[in-house]
Amino acid sequence: MKLTDHHPSPIARERAGYRKRQTVRSVLVAAASTGVLGTLLVLAVTGSPGWERVRQSFLDPRIGREALPEILTGLWLNVRLLFFCALGALALGLLVAVLRTLRGPVFFPVRALAAGYTYTFRGLPLIIVIYVLTLGVPGLRLQGMPPVLILGGIALVLTYGGYLAEVFRAGIESIHPSQLAAARSLGLTYRQTMRHVVLPQAVRRVAPPLLNDVVALQKDVGLVSLAGPIDAVRAAQIATAESFNYTPYIVAGVLFVLLAIPLIAVTDWVTLRAARRQAAR
């Protein structure tokens, strides 16, 4: 018999078989309980006295098919807005986080301004920021005033930049001071230390909450429709006004959910990977 041959003992084979049976049993129980609960929910909803009226008002297939092309066109605007606003909010949040972590009395005004920004925009409701920038700022009649869509995007960037700044700052401050001291002792400047030592580790540590904020931003881009741009939500509102039926809103909601699923899946994968890496230490 070769030394490389390995035969599990009877106890090991019995343990592996028991685990396999338990896994199969757990899957079957989960599937059965989910099916039972889903059936009960469907029966409870469809058996209610007002179900037929709700179905006609919110789940009309004909109206949904008619409104779908316009809603999809508006959703493409939401996707583009999400892409650029996410990049802008991440960049602004990282900049503010770095400014808040500057040391020394000479940087106190910078830290105070950065802290005031985060306190203000984390406390202000997003809808108020959108109204101020899209309805108030154009009233100044300044030269080179950007369109309402860009002003709405700026409102999203300013608001979410405040949240992301705190996430980045938490990651930066989680790096042990000994790493900064070691980098400085090797001759690295403060800028080089932040770029090559601190920020790569900080961003990797806070990647899950950053992605969660991006998922939240994906929903809030629909609020830009309050200022007038025809995105998916505005297209659904127009279709509802024409048909006096709320099915277009359901169609828009389903499309937003489908848009969020890949982002949520990536977030869960990054979170699980980070947890495994932490457990392996």
Side-chain angles (χ1 to χ4, degrees), residues 111-136:
R111 294 196 302 269
L113 287 174
Y117 161 75
T118 57
Y119 291 162
T120 300
F121 284 95
R122 287 168 65 201
L124 274 176
L126 174 58
I127 189 171
I128 293 179
V129 181
I130 291 176
Y131 278 143
V132 169
L133 287 180
T134 59
L135 302 180

Side-chain angles (χ1 to χ4, degrees), residues 159-260:
T159 301
Y160 272 87
Y163 292 105
L164 295 176
E166 289 303 290
V167 175
F168 278 122
R169 186 168 72 95
I172 293 173
E173 293 182 348
S174 69
I175 306 301
H176 199 275
S178 61
Q179 297 197 37
L180 281 75
R184 299 303 296 271
S185 67
L186 292 175
L188 272 68
T189 64
Y190 178 80
R191 179 181 176 183
Q192 292 173 331
T193 301
M194 292 294 295
R195 179 182 176 184
H196 298 291
V197 178
V198 176
L199 290 182
Q201 298 182 74
V203 172
R204 187 164 55 248
R205 290 184 180 184
V206 298
L210 288 176
L211 290 174
N212 278 327
D213 284 333
V214 173
V215 172
L217 175 62
Q218 179 264 325
K219 297 183 299 182
D220 285 342
V221 292
L223 292 176
V224 177
S225 63
L226 296 172
I230 302 179
D231 68 336
V233 177
R234 177 66 73 178
Q237 183 183 25
I238 294 173
T240 297
E242 293 174 348
S243 62
F244 299 99
N245 189 285
Y246 294 100
T247 302
Y249 280 121
I250 301 300
V251 174
V254 171
L255 291 177
F256 270 100
V257 171
L258 294 177
L259 179 63

